[in-house]
Amino acid sequence: MIRNLLKISILAYSLVYGSSLFSQSPSQTCPPNISFSDSGLTHWFAYTGNNRNGNGPSAIVERYDSNKPAPNGTINVYSIAEYTLPVVPGIQVLGSAKIDHFGSFPTVPTINGYKYNFSILLGSTSTAPPNSGDYGGYIRGVSYKFLVPASATNQPYTMTYAYAMVLENGQHKSADQPLISATISTEDSVITCASPQYYLPTYNDANPQDGDATLDSALAEANGFSLSPQLSPHPDPNSPLPNPPHLQDVWFKPWTEVTFDLSPYRGQYVTLTFEADNCVPGGHFAYGYIAIRNTCAGLIISGDSIACLDGSTNYSIPALAGATYKWSVPSNWVINSGANSNSINVTPAADAGFITAREQNGCADLADTIHVSTTTPTVPGSVLSNAEVCSGFNLTTLQLTGNTGNVLNWIGSTNGGQSWTPIQVQTSSYNATNLDSTTIFEAVVQHGFSCAIDSSSPSTIQVDPKSIGGNLLPVNSAYCLNQPINTLLQLNNHVGNIVTWQSSLDSINWSDFPDTDTSYLVNSLPATIHYRTIVKSGVCPLDTSQIANIYLYPAAFPQASIDPADTTICFGTSALLNADISIGTTYFWVAYDSLSGAVSGTIPSDPALVSASALPSQTADYVLEVENPGCPNALADTFLVNVIPPIKVSIVQDTSVVVGEPLQFNAISSDTAQDVWLWSPSSYLNNPDIPNPVARYGGETDSITYIVRATDAYSCYGQSTVSVKIYKTLPDIFVPTGFTPGQGVDNMFRPIPVGISKLNYFRVYNRWGQLVYETTQMGAGWNGIYKGRPQDSATFVWEVAGVDYLGNTIAKKGTVVLIR
């Protein structure tokens, strides 16, 4: 099965790894570039390989000497590729912090105030596929061999590193699970008490193929691991499905510090090796980050030496493997948590004093003491004061008052405090310049590093947009003498409020008149007048709109009276349009479709009568324009001619009856109004003035034709005709004996019902007894086509039945000859 292993080792087998040797003077300084501060791997030996046959020296394939440059050395090298994966970094020095995808921790840490500037990333998410020759996991490591400076063995020489890791759970037995080990070794032995191990533990219940082991998640969490919310980038290698799922089986451990003391090994060489291994064989990935402090002079307590009285604060020391911890704090200070760990949280009291930390294990006894004092809490103060400025060039000095603490920076918000932008100014006054939008400002204050950071009360600088006068519409208007004045001036595209309107007779000297609306109605005009508005936005300078001109011409405006202004005519009739022109010299019709008479002309003298005849097919406007010399405006009068649509009268087609049979007529008009009806002649009708009279005939006439007319309120009418044939027989159904379809006459075979009120059926059969036609509608008949094909000349059988007006049934059968 596939195996993940992440191992960070401080090992002593430099013979295998070929670590760099560096001798120091007997001082407390760290070896050069031990913290990767040269931005590379100089002085570090590096290697990569494949562990398909297990971990250990035999897995190393590529070696990079610390005494050589690239491609086979590490001098000034900051990245080395995974074994057989030239585009994937397997060893990489990081100089700027990003966020790890799986653990959401920074890739370069800051731990309790101590800022690491560099880290090294060992490993990647890459794995070797089962069908490749490199099947198995990847290994990658770096090592550094150095001489511990000679000095008294009771003088600590400490080294501190921080580690973080991301491991994909391979569900193997614990020995094959991801592992972190820190091992120190002299030339001939391993310092076991300074060699902790970290791994993802299982219950060792894996199958013989070393798979499906149950993770002891409670112990993993107790050891600082957490399950990542991100899915593995690789499909499950143990799944039998054709498209294996991506599991949520990636665990991470955020940054943790570890320290160890090398003072017992003064004058001896030790080797540090950091290694990250995938599992054996490799189907699950592992990678880790390592950062090393650049201080070696003993234990150092991290935390602020000036504690704030407004809450709790933290102090810590790097962890020592398997150690016990003891802390002491000044009188009246309270240790809230962590008294038996490498990190404490305390609530300070007013008294100053000392904080002492001591950690011990089988091979180290380290201590440090720092003097601490207290300070009052941060008071953020307030900013004076609010202001209002105009957009563009502006300057407002903001002053912070009443604060206790130093200004870290200022912040500004242009969206009402929803988001803030830092301003790198650390003085108590700030000049806000050239703002173009309303901005809230606050000062960020802190009284000492241990006190809470707080922001002052806000100051708002309201920024008014620059005044824009806009433009008045219409720009130009013209009127003549005696012309009605009605111009609505409308201000558009302005920014700010109207302070006043102004008018002028010469566009030079202007007079105010009190109006602040965006529109102004001009309804009198003693002379040509020019208008403008004065606009102001907040505290911004005034601006003036574009000028609107209303011109008065000395010529008289044309005058005319029209008759009729509105008229209604029937479809197909004409309307006479008359105009009496009292002032004007020429005229013309703007719309003259279906207009007869003069469509334009000259008026020799006033007054003058102009007439035209309109014959529109639908409702229409006819516009007569009259002009007068010297006046740029024409008089336009509109005649509305409303045309009533043609009235259509419909009635049943010609029919026949027998003597004494009542015949019900039913005429329908297309007019929606109430019409007047008239049947002519009125003979045999019970009422000729309704749309639905009843007729009854005697034997004195053979036929009669009626004209029925519907007339509306405007005397518009429509009419239709209907003929009635009177048979002097009893009710019957007559059927022709032959017909000639397609010949123009006798081309339809239909029954002729006389005195029949209802046709029950009319059917036609061919000689094989097939029904070729059927109907129950009187007046309908067969055209000689069956199933889309004209029938040949032949004899056909028919049958018909109906009910006469007295309720008797009449049924008949016979034959008909189709002639082609």
Side-chain angles (χ1 to χ4, degrees):
M1 297 298 293
I2 298 173
R3 174 174 176 265
N4 277 342
L5 177 62
L6 172 61
K7 184 165 63 175
I8 301 174
S9 304
I10 304 174
L11 302 174
Y13 46 99
S14 59
L15 204 76
V16 173
Y17 293 140
S19 299
S20 171
L21 285 160
F22 183 80
S23 299
Q24 292 181 213
S25 61
S27 67
Q28 294 295 91
T29 60
C30 292
N33 199 36
I34 191 69
S35 63
F36 312 107
S37 56
D38 290 347
S39 303
L41 294 170
T42 301
H43 298 301
W44 289 84
F45 176 83
Y47 57 89
T48 61
N50 179 275
N51 64 352
R52 58 180 177 272
N53 296 318
N55 292 316
S58 63
I60 299 174
V61 180
E62 300 286 346
R63 293 173 172 81
Y64 301 87
D65 199 309
S66 62
N67 297 312
K68 298 179 181 179
N72 301 117
T74 62
I75 297 176
N76 297 325
V77 172
Y78 66 90
S79 180
I80 296 175
E82 293 274 34
Y83 174 66
T84 71
L85 298 176
V87 298
V88 179
I91 303 172
Q92 189 175 11
V93 176
L94 306 177
S96 59
K98 298 181 180 179
I99 299 300
D100 183 81
H101 172 70
F102 292 98
S104 296
F105 52 77
T107 57
V108 180
T110 297
I111 301 177
N112 200 24
Y114 184 87
K115 178 178 175 58
Y116 290 84
N117 294 317
F118 296 90
S119 70
I120 186 170
L121 171 62
L122 295 178
S124 66
T125 59
S126 297
T127 59
N131 58 355
S132 72
D134 297 322
Y135 182 49
Y138 297 112
I139 70 167
R140 36 319 230 195
V142 294
S143 64
Y144 195 141
K145 186 176 183 179
F146 63 93
L147 180 66
V148 179
S151 184
T153 57
N154 62 353
Q155 182 181 13
Y157 187 79
T158 58
M159 300 194 73
T160 299
Y161 68 88
Y163 67 89
M165 74 194 76
V166 176
L167 310 171
E168 186 177 17
N169 178 23
Q171 296 180 291
H172 306 303
K173 59 186 178 182
S174 293
D176 293 336
Q177 283 288 87
L179 174 70
I180 293 178
S181 62
T183 306
I184 291 186
S185 160
T186 63
E187 297 276 5
D188 56 1
S189 64
V190 174
I191 307 171
T192 57
C193 63
S195 306
Q197 292 186 339
Y198 311 92
Y199 56 87
L200 288 170
T202 68
Y203 291 108
N204 293 320
D205 55 351
N207 59 36
Q209 287 76 36
D210 195 16
D212 300 324
T214 304
L215 180 69
D216 187 347
S217 57
L219 182 56
E221 291 171 356
N223 289 338
F225 288 97
S226 299
L227 180 63
S228 173
Q230 306 295 333
L231 299 180
S232 169
H234 305 298
D236 181 9
N238 299 319
S239 173
L241 300 175
N243 295 307
H246 292 250
L247 303 178
Q248 186 182 359
D249 62 353
V250 178
W251 291 69
F252 69 93
K253 185 174 183 179
W255 288 101
T256 303
E257 279 190 317
V258 175
T259 192
F260 50 87
D261 184 17
L262 296 177
S263 61
Y265 307 99
R266 294 284 187 178
Q268 301 183 45
Y269 283 100
V270 295
T271 301
L272 281 68
T273 300
F274 299 93
E275 182 176 308
D277 299 347
N278 286 6
C279 64
V280 179
H284 303 94
F285 68 85
Y287 65 84
Y289 303 90
I290 304 297
I292 304 176
R293 288 200 186 199
N294 203 26
T295 57
C296 298
L299 189 67
I300 298 176
I301 297 175
S302 297
D304 202 328
S305 61
I306 303 176
C308 193
L309 294 175
D310 65 347
S312 62
T313 188
N314 295 317
Y315 295 91
S316 69
I317 53 176
L320 186 66
T324 59
Y325 302 90
K326 184 176 181 180
W327 293 83
S328 65
V329 297
S331 175
N332 297 325
W333 288 37
V334 177
I335 299 178
N336 300 316
S337 62
N340 297 316
S341 70
N342 68 309
S343 178
I344 61 172
N345 176 269
V346 301
T347 298
D351 297 336
F354 295 91
I355 292 180
T356 299
R358 185 177 182 181
E359 58 183 5
Q360 294 176 287
N361 67 0
C363 58
D365 187 351
L366 301 173
D368 188 32
T369 299
I370 60 172
H371 183 268
V372 291
S373 58
T374 59
T375 184
T376 56
T378 299
V379 177
S382 58
V383 178
L384 302 176
S385 63
N386 297 332
E388 185 176 3
V389 299
C390 187
S391 176
F393 180 77
N394 52 68
L395 170 64
T396 303
T397 299
L398 301 175
Q399 184 66 48
L400 176 65
T401 62
N403 59 297
T404 301
N406 297 320
V407 176
L408 301 182
N409 59 275
W410 290 70
I411 54 176
S413 173
T414 57
N415 56 11
Q418 297 180 32
S419 60
W420 296 87
T421 300
I423 302 169
Q424 300 306 323
V425 173
Q426 296 179 315
T427 58
S428 59
S429 64
Y430 170 63
N431 290 328
T433 60
N434 302 332
L435 301 179
D436 56 11
S437 59
T438 296
T439 307
I440 303 172
F441 290 97
E442 295 180 2
V444 180
V445 180
Q446 185 181 29
H447 190 207
F449 292 111
S450 63
C451 288
I453 298 173
D454 202 356
S455 60
S456 68
S457 61
S459 173
T460 300
I461 299 181
Q462 178 179 324
V463 178
D464 301 323
K466 291 182 178 179
S467 304
I468 298 177
N471 54 287
L472 287 173
L473 295 178
V475 177
N476 295 308
S477 303
Y479 290 94
C480 303
L481 293 178
N482 303 319
Q483 182 178 358
I485 309 299
N486 186 29
T487 292
L488 182 66
L489 297 177
Q490 183 71 46
L491 181 63
N492 295 281
N493 304 319
H494 66 289
V495 176
N497 298 318
I498 297 176
V499 176
T500 186
W501 285 71
Q502 292 183 332
S503 62
S504 173
L505 297 176
D506 56 8
S507 297
I508 298 174
N509 301 297
W510 294 88
S511 299
D512 295 341
F513 60 92
D515 198 319
T516 57
D517 291 337
T518 58
S519 60
Y520 177 70
L521 179 63
V522 180
N523 53 22
S524 63
L525 195 66
T528 294
I529 300 181
H530 312 280
Y531 291 91
R532 70 183 186 183
T533 61
I534 306 300
V535 177
K536 191 175 192 306
S537 173
V539 298
C540 294
L542 301 168
D543 195 25
T544 304
S545 72
Q546 294 180 354
I547 296 174
N549 307 295
I550 304 181
Y551 299 99
L552 180 64
Y553 287 82
F557 184 65
Q559 301 290 329
S561 60
I562 62 174
D563 180 53
D566 300 329
T567 187
T568 300
I569 63 174
C570 301
F571 177 82
T573 63
S574 62
L576 184 62
L577 309 179
N578 301 307
D580 187 0
I581 301 174
S582 56
I583 299 176
T585 58
T586 57
Y587 72 91
F588 57 93
W589 294 89
V590 176
Y592 48 83
D593 289 343
S594 304
L595 189 69
S596 61
V599 296
S600 64
T602 301
I603 302 170
S605 61
D606 299 331
L609 181 64
V610 173
S611 298
S613 178
L615 183 62
S617 59
Q618 59 186 3
T619 296
D621 286 328
Y622 292 87
V623 180
L624 176 67
E625 289 196 356
V626 181
E627 296 178 342
N628 194 41
C631 178
N633 303 328
L635 169 69
D637 271 336
T638 301
F639 298 82
L640 172 62
V641 180
N642 182 42
V643 179
I644 296 177
I647 298 175
K648 296 181 180 180
V649 176
S650 59
I651 194 171
V652 296
Q653 63 185 6
D654 296 346
T655 187
S656 59
V657 296
V658 296
V659 172
E661 177 188 359
L663 177 60
Q664 175 73 62
F665 294 101
N666 188 21
I668 300 173
S669 171
S670 62
D671 185 27
T672 58
Q674 186 68 37
D675 292 326
V676 175
W677 292 88
L678 179 64
W679 292 74
S680 178
S682 61
S683 304
Y684 309 107
L685 301 176
N686 66 334
N687 188 347
D689 299 324
I690 60 176
N692 52 351
V694 176
R696 191 185 297 270
Y697 304 94
E700 66 276 6
T701 184
D702 295 329
S703 64
I704 189 172
T705 298
Y706 294 100
I707 299 174
V708 56
R709 173 178 293 186
T711 305
D712 68 6
Y714 295 96
S715 298
C716 303
Y717 66 88
Q719 64 185 27
S720 184
T721 62
V722 60
S723 295
V724 182
K725 186 175 182 179
I726 299 97
Y727 287 87
K728 300 176 179 60
T729 66
L730 294 175
D732 201 351
I733 300 174
F734 302 101
V735 182
T737 59
F739 74 112
T740 56
Q743 300 301 314
V745 294
D746 296 331
N747 59 0
M748 188 73 68
F749 177 47
R750 63 167 65 89
I752 303 172
V754 178
I756 301 300
S757 61
K758 177 184 177 183
L759 184 66
N760 290 340
Y761 57 83
F762 173 60
R763 300 173 183 143
V764 182
Y765 301 87
N766 61 19
R767 59 182 177 177
W768 294 284
Q770 294 173 309
L771 180 66
V772 299
Y773 179 77
E774 181 179 22
T775 185
T776 59
Q777 181 180 351
M778 287 191 286
W782 184 42
N783 60 2
I785 295 175
Y786 174 56
K787 292 185 177 180
R789 296 182 58 184
Q791 299 299 293
D792 296 333
S793 297
T795 299
F796 294 82
V797 177
W798 57 264
E799 61 179 359
V800 67
V803 179
D804 66 14
Y805 74 94
L806 297 175
N808 301 315
T809 299
I810 299 174
K812 301 175 74 173
K813 293 182 179 181
T815 61
V816 64
V817 178
L818 187 153
I819 302 173
R820 290 288 183 186

